[in-house]
Amino acid sequence: MSDSDDKQQRKDAKHKAAMQKQKAKVDARIEEASLERGVAVLVTGNGKGKSSSAFGMVLRALGYGMKVGVVQFIKGKQLSGEEIFLRDRLPEVDFHQMGTGFTWNTQDRSGDIAAARETWEQARRMLADPAYDLVVLDELTYMIGYDYLPEQEILDAIANRPREQSVVVTGRGGGAALQELVDTVSEVKDVKHAFRAGIKARRGVDF
Amino acid sequence: MSDSDDKQQRKDAKHKAAMQKQKAKVDARIEEASLERGVAVLVTGNGKGKSSSAFGMVLRALGYGMKVGVVQFIKGKQLSGEEIFLRDRLPEVDFHQMGTGFTWNTQDRSGDIAAARETWEQARRMLADPAYDLVVLDELTYMIGYDYLPEQEILDAIANRPREQSVVVTGRGGGAALQELVDTVSEVKDVKHAFRAGIKARRGVDF
């Protein structure tokens, strides 16, 4: 056996031992998790990828033939790529949009609040309906942050949803009470963004 | 006018002024970004939502009728929801999987390396083909971290891809050189996870 073969075999053996240890750890953790029910997930933070993460979960649920509802708060008058796809290719998804555009474009607080209320009624209906396996509330956090909707009403609707229903909320912030209520919180940090290097937002990636 | 109306009107006016300022800021930033080309995005970190974020971008690109390639490294022998959806509903997506399962399950370094190499050849082919608008390299970072593929070969293939092509890489870690090379880095932080409260991974959300 050459030195190099010997080195390779030791590396392989070391890898195997490390992976056996890792497998034992993962198996133990899977064993411990015993509660089975729908989960509430918050994807927050200032980085790119929050809404797309929620839409990835929509695909996941649809893969299993689940019933999915999507309510988008704030998002623009102009349809983005995932919205076009949802409308044209996924008619089975119950899809509602506030569609007033960003608050800094409307500059109309009273109008925004009325639109938020109307959109929220769609979300509340889904959160009360056990037929939905997954409900996505895209950009809902801003409704709390801007005080467009009563925080407690949102918390109650999420807390009292059907036991088997999962819900994904996206958007910056959201507040401590929402973080406390949900099961999983992922914070997407903006480590680096193409924008700051002067690169334009890219169709099919950024919108 | 009642006191309450007056208060409301002042709140609305204040909101309008703040939003005008915000709009000017956003407009200026959009003005500054002038470079138009495909972007390279890394979605990393220890939190939930990295792969689903990439799959959300797949939807986005498909909404515009773009050509998409997806290569999955590591991911299991068992198809997850988004993989079933991709296979059954999106035959136009060029989809390849390493399909050997997690390293701690295979515990076979040499076999993993051979599978990684074979899978990487599919990725390299896409990264050299201007027909692809978006290429997703799911869990590619582990191939670098475990030293299954030469880092420089990966960096070169991403750096030399067609100018209009966008690429999304997901997975924990990835190394400083990859972070340096890509345009956008989002780090998904695990702030809270249902798993730690004893809740089982949920179909349609976690897999």
Side-chain angles (χ1 to χ4, degrees), chain A residues 34-40 126-135 156-167 183, chain B residues 197-200 202-203 205:
Chain A
S34 56
L35 205 59
E36 199 147 14
R37 61 164 173 81
V39 290
M126 293 178 190
L127 292 170
D129 183 350
Y132 290 91
D133 299 293
L134 175 65
V135 177
D156 288 346
I158 293 174
N160 298 324
R161 73 188 193 284
R163 184 186 159 83
E164 299 300 321
Q165 186 181 87
S166 293
V167 58
D183 305 298
Chain B
I199 300 166
K200 274 196 176 176
R202 187 71 173 171
R203 224 164 72 132
V205 175

PDB file of all heavy atoms in Angstrom, chain A residues 34-40 126-135 156-167 183, chain B residues 197-200 202-203 205:
ATOM      1  N   SER A  34     -41.556  14.634  19.825  1.00  0.00           N
ATOM      2  CA  SER A  34     -42.660  13.678  19.807  1.00  0.00           C
ATOM      3  C   SER A  34     -44.016  14.329  19.525  1.00  0.00           C
ATOM      4  O   SER A  34     -44.985  13.660  19.246  1.00  0.00           O
ATOM      5  CB  SER A  34     -42.719  12.968  21.159  1.00  0.00           C
ATOM      6  OG  SER A  34     -42.823  13.940  22.170  1.00  0.00           O
ATOM      7  N   LEU A  35     -44.039  15.659  19.633  1.00  0.00           N
ATOM      8  CA  LEU A  35     -45.300  16.381  19.467  1.00  0.00           C
ATOM      9  C   LEU A  35     -45.571  16.573  17.979  1.00  0.00           C
ATOM     10  O   LEU A  35     -44.722  17.088  17.252  1.00  0.00           O
ATOM     11  CB  LEU A  35     -45.150  17.738  20.153  1.00  0.00           C
ATOM     12  CG  LEU A  35     -46.419  18.419  20.638  1.00  0.00           C
ATOM     13  CD1 LEU A  35     -47.161  17.554  21.645  1.00  0.00           C
ATOM     14  CD2 LEU A  35     -46.057  19.767  21.245  1.00  0.00           C
ATOM     15  N   GLU A  36     -46.751  16.159  17.535  1.00  0.00           N
ATOM     16  CA  GLU A  36     -47.062  16.308  16.112  1.00  0.00           C
ATOM     17  C   GLU A  36     -48.264  17.220  15.915  1.00  0.00           C
ATOM     18  O   GLU A  36     -49.379  16.894  16.317  1.00  0.00           O
ATOM     19  CB  GLU A  36     -47.323  14.922  15.488  1.00  0.00           C
ATOM     20  CG  GLU A  36     -47.183  14.977  13.987  1.00  0.00           C
ATOM     21  CD  GLU A  36     -46.636  13.690  13.387  1.00  0.00           C
ATOM     22  OE1 GLU A  36     -46.605  12.664  14.084  1.00  0.00           O
ATOM     23  OE2 GLU A  36     -46.239  13.736  12.214  1.00  0.00           O
ATOM     24  N   ARG A  37     -48.020  18.363  15.303  1.00  0.00           N
ATOM     25  CA  ARG A  37     -49.093  19.326  15.019  1.00  0.00           C
ATOM     26  C   ARG A  37     -48.572  20.339  14.004  1.00  0.00           C
ATOM     27  O   ARG A  37     -47.386  20.364  13.684  1.00  0.00           O
ATOM     28  CB  ARG A  37     -49.531  20.036  16.300  1.00  0.00           C
ATOM     29  CG  ARG A  37     -48.437  20.833  16.986  1.00  0.00           C
ATOM     30  CD  ARG A  37     -49.055  21.814  17.997  1.00  0.00           C
ATOM     31  NE  ARG A  37     -48.059  22.499  18.809  1.00  0.00           N
ATOM     32  CZ  ARG A  37     -47.354  23.558  18.417  1.00  0.00           C
ATOM     33  NH1 ARG A  37     -47.473  24.039  17.199  1.00  0.00           N
ATOM     34  NH2 ARG A  37     -46.484  24.136  19.248  1.00  0.00           N
ATOM     35  N   GLY A  38     -49.458  21.195  13.506  1.00  0.00           N
ATOM     36  CA  GLY A  38     -49.048  22.270  12.612  1.00  0.00           C
ATOM     37  C   GLY A  38     -48.098  23.211  13.329  1.00  0.00           C
ATOM     38  O   GLY A  38     -48.178  23.349  14.551  1.00  0.00           O
ATOM     39  N   VAL A  39     -47.194  23.833  12.582  1.00  0.00           N
ATOM     40  CA  VAL A  39     -46.228  24.739  13.196  1.00  0.00           C
ATOM     41  C   VAL A  39     -46.447  26.173  12.694  1.00  0.00           C
ATOM     42  O   VAL A  39     -46.958  26.391  11.599  1.00  0.00           O
ATOM     43  CB  VAL A  39     -44.770  24.314  12.902  1.00  0.00           C
ATOM     44  CG1 VAL A  39     -44.426  23.041  13.642  1.00  0.00           C
ATOM     45  CG2 VAL A  39     -44.523  24.158  11.406  1.00  0.00           C
ATOM     46  N   ALA A  40     -46.050  27.126  13.537  1.00  0.00           N
ATOM     47  CA  ALA A  40     -46.076  28.538  13.144  1.00  0.00           C
ATOM     48  C   ALA A  40     -44.641  29.006  12.994  1.00  0.00           C
ATOM     49  O   ALA A  40     -43.828  28.831  13.899  1.00  0.00           O
ATOM     50  CB  ALA A  40     -46.796  29.367  14.196  1.00  0.00           C
ATOM     51  N   MET A 126     -59.035  32.210   6.602  1.00  0.00           N
ATOM     52  CA  MET A 126     -58.203  31.014   6.388  1.00  0.00           C
ATOM     53  C   MET A 126     -57.724  30.430   7.715  1.00  0.00           C
ATOM     54  O   MET A 126     -57.702  29.212   7.891  1.00  0.00           O
ATOM     55  CB  MET A 126     -56.982  31.364   5.531  1.00  0.00           C
ATOM     56  CG  MET A 126     -57.323  31.743   4.100  1.00  0.00           C
ATOM     57  SD  MET A 126     -55.807  32.188   3.206  1.00  0.00           S
ATOM     58  CE  MET A 126     -56.511  32.873   1.694  1.00  0.00           C
ATOM     59  N   LEU A 127     -57.319  31.318   8.635  1.00  0.00           N
ATOM     60  CA  LEU A 127     -56.797  30.866   9.931  1.00  0.00           C
ATOM     61  C   LEU A 127     -57.879  30.204  10.783  1.00  0.00           C
ATOM     62  O   LEU A 127     -57.571  29.569  11.796  1.00  0.00           O
ATOM     63  CB  LEU A 127     -56.167  32.041  10.701  1.00  0.00           C
ATOM     64  CG  LEU A 127     -54.874  32.622  10.121  1.00  0.00           C
ATOM     65  CD1 LEU A 127     -54.504  33.924  10.824  1.00  0.00           C
ATOM     66  CD2 LEU A 127     -53.714  31.623  10.226  1.00  0.00           C
ATOM     67  N   ALA A 128     -59.133  30.349  10.378  1.00  0.00           N
ATOM     68  CA  ALA A 128     -60.233  29.734  11.123  1.00  0.00           C
ATOM     69  C   ALA A 128     -60.765  28.486  10.421  1.00  0.00           C
ATOM     70  O   ALA A 128     -61.667  27.823  10.920  1.00  0.00           O
ATOM     71  CB  ALA A 128     -61.352  30.747  11.307  1.00  0.00           C
ATOM     72  N   ASP A 129     -60.166  28.152   9.277  1.00  0.00           N
ATOM     73  CA  ASP A 129     -60.712  27.085   8.432  1.00  0.00           C
ATOM     74  C   ASP A 129     -59.766  25.875   8.394  1.00  0.00           C
ATOM     75  O   ASP A 129     -58.682  25.943   7.825  1.00  0.00           O
ATOM     76  CB  ASP A 129     -60.915  27.645   7.013  1.00  0.00           C
ATOM     77  CG  ASP A 129     -61.545  26.625   6.074  1.00  0.00           C
ATOM     78  OD1 ASP A 129     -61.653  25.443   6.453  1.00  0.00           O
ATOM     79  OD2 ASP A 129     -61.905  27.028   4.950  1.00  0.00           O
ATOM     80  N   PRO A 130     -60.176  24.760   9.007  1.00  0.00           N
ATOM     81  CA  PRO A 130     -59.293  23.583   9.066  1.00  0.00           C
ATOM     82  C   PRO A 130     -59.006  22.960   7.696  1.00  0.00           C
ATOM     83  O   PRO A 130     -58.154  22.083   7.601  1.00  0.00           O
ATOM     84  CB  PRO A 130     -60.050  22.610   9.975  1.00  0.00           C
ATOM     85  CG  PRO A 130     -61.428  23.131  10.090  1.00  0.00           C
ATOM     86  CD  PRO A 130     -61.437  24.571   9.731  1.00  0.00           C
ATOM     87  N   ALA A 131     -59.691  23.411   6.653  1.00  0.00           N
ATOM     88  CA  ALA A 131     -59.410  22.876   5.315  1.00  0.00           C
ATOM     89  C   ALA A 131     -58.008  23.283   4.846  1.00  0.00           C
ATOM     90  O   ALA A 131     -57.393  22.586   4.045  1.00  0.00           O
ATOM     91  CB  ALA A 131     -60.452  23.372   4.316  1.00  0.00           C
ATOM     92  N   TYR A 132     -57.481  24.412   5.364  1.00  0.00           N
ATOM     93  CA  TYR A 132     -56.153  24.876   4.955  1.00  0.00           C
ATOM     94  C   TYR A 132     -55.059  24.177   5.754  1.00  0.00           C
ATOM     95  O   TYR A 132     -55.059  24.230   6.982  1.00  0.00           O
ATOM     96  CB  TYR A 132     -56.021  26.387   5.157  1.00  0.00           C
ATOM     97  CG  TYR A 132     -56.851  27.178   4.183  1.00  0.00           C
ATOM     98  CD1 TYR A 132     -58.148  27.549   4.484  1.00  0.00           C
ATOM     99  CD2 TYR A 132     -56.347  27.531   2.932  1.00  0.00           C
ATOM    100  CE1 TYR A 132     -58.929  28.256   3.581  1.00  0.00           C
ATOM    101  CE2 TYR A 132     -57.116  28.233   2.026  1.00  0.00           C
ATOM    102  CZ  TYR A 132     -58.406  28.592   2.357  1.00  0.00           C
ATOM    103  OH  TYR A 132     -59.168  29.279   1.453  1.00  0.00           O
ATOM    104  N   ASP A 133     -54.129  23.525   5.038  1.00  0.00           N
ATOM    105  CA  ASP A 133     -52.983  22.904   5.704  1.00  0.00           C
ATOM    106  C   ASP A 133     -51.879  23.918   5.969  1.00  0.00           C
ATOM    107  O   ASP A 133     -51.138  23.814   6.938  1.00  0.00           O
ATOM    108  CB  ASP A 133     -52.413  21.785   4.818  1.00  0.00           C
ATOM    109  CG  ASP A 133     -53.438  20.702   4.564  1.00  0.00           C
ATOM    110  OD1 ASP A 133     -53.805  20.018   5.533  1.00  0.00           O
ATOM    111  OD2 ASP A 133     -53.889  20.552   3.402  1.00  0.00           O
ATOM    112  N   LEU A 134     -51.745  24.879   5.048  1.00  0.00           N
ATOM    113  CA  LEU A 134     -50.687  25.891   5.178  1.00  0.00           C
ATOM    114  C   LEU A 134     -51.240  27.250   4.770  1.00  0.00           C
ATOM    115  O   LEU A 134     -51.856  27.395   3.708  1.00  0.00           O
ATOM    116  CB  LEU A 134     -49.495  25.543   4.269  1.00  0.00           C
ATOM    117  CG  LEU A 134     -48.363  26.578   4.210  1.00  0.00           C
ATOM    118  CD1 LEU A 134     -47.659  26.722   5.555  1.00  0.00           C
ATOM    119  CD2 LEU A 134     -47.338  26.207   3.122  1.00  0.00           C
ATOM    120  N   VAL A 135     -51.010  28.237   5.636  1.00  0.00           N
ATOM    121  CA  VAL A 135     -51.408  29.616   5.331  1.00  0.00           C
ATOM    122  C   VAL A 135     -50.154  30.491   5.383  1.00  0.00           C
ATOM    123  O   VAL A 135     -49.437  30.503   6.381  1.00  0.00           O
ATOM    124  CB  VAL A 135     -52.456  30.143   6.345  1.00  0.00           C
ATOM    125  CG1 VAL A 135     -52.790  31.602   6.060  1.00  0.00           C
ATOM    126  CG2 VAL A 135     -53.717  29.276   6.299  1.00  0.00           C
ATOM    127  N   ASP A 156     -54.107  36.427  18.355  1.00  0.00           N
ATOM    128  CA  ASP A 156     -55.210  35.517  18.700  1.00  0.00           C
ATOM    129  C   ASP A 156     -55.571  34.604  17.525  1.00  0.00           C
ATOM    130  O   ASP A 156     -55.783  33.406  17.701  1.00  0.00           O
ATOM    131  CB  ASP A 156     -56.455  36.313  19.126  1.00  0.00           C
ATOM    132  CG  ASP A 156     -56.280  36.964  20.496  1.00  0.00           C
ATOM    133  OD1 ASP A 156     -55.330  36.581  21.213  1.00  0.00           O
ATOM    134  OD2 ASP A 156     -57.078  37.860  20.832  1.00  0.00           O
ATOM    135  N   ALA A 157     -55.642  35.184  16.340  1.00  0.00           N
ATOM    136  CA  ALA A 157     -56.036  34.394  15.169  1.00  0.00           C
ATOM    137  C   ALA A 157     -54.999  33.299  14.881  1.00  0.00           C
ATOM    138  O   ALA A 157     -55.357  32.173  14.511  1.00  0.00           O
ATOM    139  CB  ALA A 157     -56.205  35.302  13.955  1.00  0.00           C
ATOM    140  N   ILE A 158     -53.730  33.622  15.064  1.00  0.00           N
ATOM    141  CA  ILE A 158     -52.672  32.625  14.832  1.00  0.00           C
ATOM    142  C   ILE A 158     -52.701  31.564  15.938  1.00  0.00           C
ATOM    143  O   ILE A 158     -52.610  30.364  15.678  1.00  0.00           O
ATOM    144  CB  ILE A 158     -51.280  33.302  14.732  1.00  0.00           C
ATOM    145  CG1 ILE A 158     -51.218  34.160  13.464  1.00  0.00           C
ATOM    146  CG2 ILE A 158     -50.155  32.261  14.748  1.00  0.00           C
ATOM    147  CD1 ILE A 158     -49.951  34.992  13.324  1.00  0.00           C
ATOM    148  N   ALA A 159     -52.841  32.012  17.182  1.00  0.00           N
ATOM    149  CA  ALA A 159     -52.840  31.081  18.327  1.00  0.00           C
ATOM    150  C   ALA A 159     -54.028  30.124  18.279  1.00  0.00           C
ATOM    151  O   ALA A 159     -53.901  28.956  18.647  1.00  0.00           O
ATOM    152  CB  ALA A 159     -52.856  31.876  19.637  1.00  0.00           C
ATOM    153  N   ASN A 160     -55.167  30.609  17.824  1.00  0.00           N
ATOM    154  CA  ASN A 160     -56.393  29.800  17.855  1.00  0.00           C
ATOM    155  C   ASN A 160     -56.686  29.070  16.553  1.00  0.00           C
ATOM    156  O   ASN A 160     -57.780  28.539  16.378  1.00  0.00           O
ATOM    157  CB  ASN A 160     -57.588  30.694  18.221  1.00  0.00           C
ATOM    158  CG  ASN A 160     -57.419  31.306  19.595  1.00  0.00           C
ATOM    159  OD1 ASN A 160     -56.887  30.663  20.503  1.00  0.00           O
ATOM    160  ND2 ASN A 160     -57.840  32.551  19.747  1.00  0.00           N
ATOM    161  N   ARG A 161     -55.719  29.038  15.648  1.00  0.00           N
ATOM    162  CA  ARG A 161     -55.950  28.356  14.369  1.00  0.00           C
ATOM    163  C   ARG A 161     -56.087  26.848  14.606  1.00  0.00           C
ATOM    164  O   ARG A 161     -55.685  26.347  15.671  1.00  0.00           O
ATOM    165  CB  ARG A 161     -54.798  28.659  13.395  1.00  0.00           C
ATOM    166  CG  ARG A 161     -53.507  27.932  13.741  1.00  0.00           C
ATOM    167  CD  ARG A 161     -52.338  28.405  12.890  1.00  0.00           C
ATOM    168  NE  ARG A 161     -51.214  27.486  13.025  1.00  0.00           N
ATOM    169  CZ  ARG A 161     -50.411  27.444  14.089  1.00  0.00           C
ATOM    170  NH1 ARG A 161     -50.595  28.250  15.120  1.00  0.00           N
ATOM    171  NH2 ARG A 161     -49.424  26.571  14.125  1.00  0.00           N
ATOM    172  N   PRO A 162     -56.619  26.106  13.621  1.00  0.00           N
ATOM    173  CA  PRO A 162     -56.770  24.652  13.780  1.00  0.00           C
ATOM    174  C   PRO A 162     -55.426  23.982  14.097  1.00  0.00           C
ATOM    175  O   PRO A 162     -54.393  24.389  13.550  1.00  0.00           O
ATOM    176  CB  PRO A 162     -57.291  24.205  12.416  1.00  0.00           C
ATOM    177  CG  PRO A 162     -57.950  25.418  11.838  1.00  0.00           C
ATOM    178  CD  PRO A 162     -57.174  26.587  12.349  1.00  0.00           C
ATOM    179  N   ARG A 163     -55.466  22.975  14.927  1.00  0.00           N
ATOM    180  CA  ARG A 163     -54.252  22.331  15.433  1.00  0.00           C
ATOM    181  C   ARG A 163     -53.341  21.797  14.334  1.00  0.00           C
ATOM    182  O   ARG A 163     -52.116  21.805  14.461  1.00  0.00           O
ATOM    183  CB  ARG A 163     -54.686  21.173  16.353  1.00  0.00           C
ATOM    184  CG  ARG A 163     -53.554  20.467  17.031  1.00  0.00           C
ATOM    185  CD  ARG A 163     -54.033  19.237  17.806  1.00  0.00           C
ATOM    186  NE  ARG A 163     -52.914  18.334  18.019  1.00  0.00           N
ATOM    187  CZ  ARG A 163     -52.036  18.454  19.008  1.00  0.00           C
ATOM    188  NH1 ARG A 163     -52.160  19.405  19.885  1.00  0.00           N
ATOM    189  NH2 ARG A 163     -51.024  17.605  19.116  1.00  0.00           N
ATOM    190  N   GLU A 164     -53.913  21.317  13.251  1.00  0.00           N
ATOM    191  CA  GLU A 164     -53.103  20.709  12.192  1.00  0.00           C
ATOM    192  C   GLU A 164     -52.607  21.725  11.162  1.00  0.00           C
ATOM    193  O   GLU A 164     -51.863  21.383  10.250  1.00  0.00           O
ATOM    194  CB  GLU A 164     -53.890  19.607  11.473  1.00  0.00           C
ATOM    195  CG  GLU A 164     -54.307  18.454  12.366  1.00  0.00           C
ATOM    196  CD  GLU A 164     -53.109  17.749  13.010  1.00  0.00           C
ATOM    197  OE1 GLU A 164     -52.088  17.589  12.319  1.00  0.00           O
ATOM    198  OE2 GLU A 164     -53.211  17.386  14.210  1.00  0.00           O
ATOM    199  N   GLN A 165     -53.050  22.959  11.289  1.00  0.00           N
ATOM    200  CA  GLN A 165     -52.679  23.973  10.300  1.00  0.00           C
ATOM    201  C   GLN A 165     -51.319  24.608  10.609  1.00  0.00           C
ATOM    202  O   GLN A 165     -51.041  24.961  11.744  1.00  0.00           O
ATOM    203  CB  GLN A 165     -53.751  25.075  10.293  1.00  0.00           C
ATOM    204  CG  GLN A 165     -53.561  26.111   9.215  1.00  0.00           C
ATOM    205  CD  GLN A 165     -54.636  27.188   9.277  1.00  0.00           C
ATOM    206  OE1 GLN A 165     -54.504  28.174   9.984  1.00  0.00           O
ATOM    207  NE2 GLN A 165     -55.727  26.976   8.570  1.00  0.00           N
ATOM    208  N   SER A 166     -50.500  24.747   9.561  1.00  0.00           N
ATOM    209  CA  SER A 166     -49.237  25.472   9.707  1.00  0.00           C
ATOM    210  C   SER A 166     -49.397  26.873   9.131  1.00  0.00           C
ATOM    211  O   SER A 166     -50.202  27.092   8.224  1.00  0.00           O
ATOM    212  CB  SER A 166     -48.103  24.744   8.985  1.00  0.00           C
ATOM    213  OG  SER A 166     -47.823  23.509   9.620  1.00  0.00           O
ATOM    214  N   VAL A 167     -48.620  27.802   9.678  1.00  0.00           N
ATOM    215  CA  VAL A 167     -48.690  29.178   9.187  1.00  0.00           C
ATOM    216  C   VAL A 167     -47.277  29.744   9.095  1.00  0.00           C
ATOM    217  O   VAL A 167     -46.432  29.468   9.944  1.00  0.00           O
ATOM    218  CB  VAL A 167     -49.614  30.043  10.102  1.00  0.00           C
ATOM    219  CG1 VAL A 167     -49.125  30.057  11.535  1.00  0.00           C
ATOM    220  CG2 VAL A 167     -49.743  31.455   9.589  1.00  0.00           C
ATOM    221  N   ASP A 183     -43.552  28.950  16.755  1.00  0.00           N
ATOM    222  CA  ASP A 183     -42.666  27.843  17.142  1.00  0.00           C
ATOM    223  C   ASP A 183     -41.248  28.035  16.638  1.00  0.00           C
ATOM    224  O   ASP A 183     -40.290  27.636  17.275  1.00  0.00           O
ATOM    225  CB  ASP A 183     -43.216  26.534  16.557  1.00  0.00           C
ATOM    226  CG  ASP A 183     -44.648  26.291  16.969  1.00  0.00           C
ATOM    227  OD1 ASP A 183     -44.881  26.157  18.188  1.00  0.00           O
ATOM    228  OD2 ASP A 183     -45.530  26.251  16.091  1.00  0.00           O
TER     229      ASP A 183
ATOM    230  N   ALA B 197     -38.599  22.549  21.061  1.00  0.00           N
ATOM    231  CA  ALA B 197     -39.767  22.460  21.951  1.00  0.00           C
ATOM    232  C   ALA B 197     -40.415  21.080  21.824  1.00  0.00           C
ATOM    233  O   ALA B 197     -41.539  20.859  22.266  1.00  0.00           O
ATOM    234  CB  ALA B 197     -40.767  23.557  21.613  1.00  0.00           C
ATOM    235  N   GLY B 198     -39.694  20.144  21.186  1.00  0.00           N
ATOM    236  CA  GLY B 198     -40.187  18.775  21.085  1.00  0.00           C
ATOM    237  C   GLY B 198     -41.206  18.559  19.990  1.00  0.00           C
ATOM    238  O   GLY B 198     -41.882  17.522  19.950  1.00  0.00           O
ATOM    239  N   ILE B 199     -41.317  19.527  19.071  1.00  0.00           N
ATOM    240  CA  ILE B 199     -42.305  19.391  17.979  1.00  0.00           C
ATOM    241  C   ILE B 199     -41.642  18.735  16.777  1.00  0.00           C
ATOM    242  O   ILE B 199     -40.571  19.125  16.336  1.00  0.00           O
ATOM    243  CB  ILE B 199     -42.878  20.782  17.595  1.00  0.00           C
ATOM    244  CG1 ILE B 199     -43.560  21.392  18.818  1.00  0.00           C
ATOM    245  CG2 ILE B 199     -43.842  20.655  16.422  1.00  0.00           C
ATOM    246  CD1 ILE B 199     -43.866  22.868  18.659  1.00  0.00           C
ATOM    247  N   LYS B 200     -42.309  17.732  16.257  1.00  0.00           N
ATOM    248  CA  LYS B 200     -41.769  16.963  15.117  1.00  0.00           C
ATOM    249  C   LYS B 200     -41.681  17.812  13.860  1.00  0.00           C
ATOM    250  O   LYS B 200     -42.538  18.677  13.635  1.00  0.00           O
ATOM    251  CB  LYS B 200     -42.700  15.780  14.827  1.00  0.00           C
ATOM    252  CG  LYS B 200     -42.403  14.559  15.652  1.00  0.00           C
ATOM    253  CD  LYS B 200     -43.084  13.331  15.055  1.00  0.00           C
ATOM    254  CE  LYS B 200     -42.687  12.097  15.831  1.00  0.00           C
ATOM    255  NZ  LYS B 200     -43.385  10.897  15.375  1.00  0.00           N
ATOM    256  N   ARG B 202     -42.392  19.002  10.338  1.00  0.00           N
ATOM    257  CA  ARG B 202     -43.738  18.983   9.779  1.00  0.00           C
ATOM    258  C   ARG B 202     -43.701  18.872   8.251  1.00  0.00           C
ATOM    259  O   ARG B 202     -43.044  19.658   7.574  1.00  0.00           O
ATOM    260  CB  ARG B 202     -44.441  20.272  10.184  1.00  0.00           C
ATOM    261  CG  ARG B 202     -45.909  20.336   9.811  1.00  0.00           C
ATOM    262  CD  ARG B 202     -46.731  19.405  10.644  1.00  0.00           C
ATOM    263  NE  ARG B 202     -48.171  19.574  10.423  1.00  0.00           N
ATOM    264  CZ  ARG B 202     -49.077  18.756  10.913  1.00  0.00           C
ATOM    265  NH1 ARG B 202     -48.714  17.717  11.669  1.00  0.00           N
ATOM    266  NH2 ARG B 202     -50.350  18.949  10.677  1.00  0.00           N
ATOM    267  N   ARG B 203     -44.452  17.905   7.766  1.00  0.00           N
ATOM    268  CA  ARG B 203     -44.621  17.737   6.330  1.00  0.00           C
ATOM    269  C   ARG B 203     -45.215  18.995   5.712  1.00  0.00           C
ATOM    270  O   ARG B 203     -46.148  19.563   6.257  1.00  0.00           O
ATOM    271  CB  ARG B 203     -45.589  16.569   6.092  1.00  0.00           C
ATOM    272  CG  ARG B 203     -45.162  15.626   4.995  1.00  0.00           C
ATOM    273  CD  ARG B 203     -45.910  14.329   5.078  1.00  0.00           C
ATOM    274  NE  ARG B 203     -47.295  14.516   4.681  1.00  0.00           N
ATOM    275  CZ  ARG B 203     -47.938  13.737   3.815  1.00  0.00           C
ATOM    276  NH1 ARG B 203     -47.308  12.708   3.277  1.00  0.00           N
ATOM    277  NH2 ARG B 203     -49.185  13.952   3.513  1.00  0.00           N
ATOM    278  N   VAL B 205     -43.849  21.832   5.530  1.00  0.00           N
ATOM    279  CA  VAL B 205     -43.193  23.037   6.036  1.00  0.00           C
ATOM    280  C   VAL B 205     -41.693  22.774   6.189  1.00  0.00           C
ATOM    281  O   VAL B 205     -40.867  23.512   5.679  1.00  0.00           O
ATOM    282  CB  VAL B 205     -43.775  23.478   7.410  1.00  0.00           C
ATOM    283  CG1 VAL B 205     -42.996  24.651   7.981  1.00  0.00           C
ATOM    284  CG2 VAL B 205     -45.246  23.833   7.255  1.00  0.00           C
TER     285      VAL B 205
END
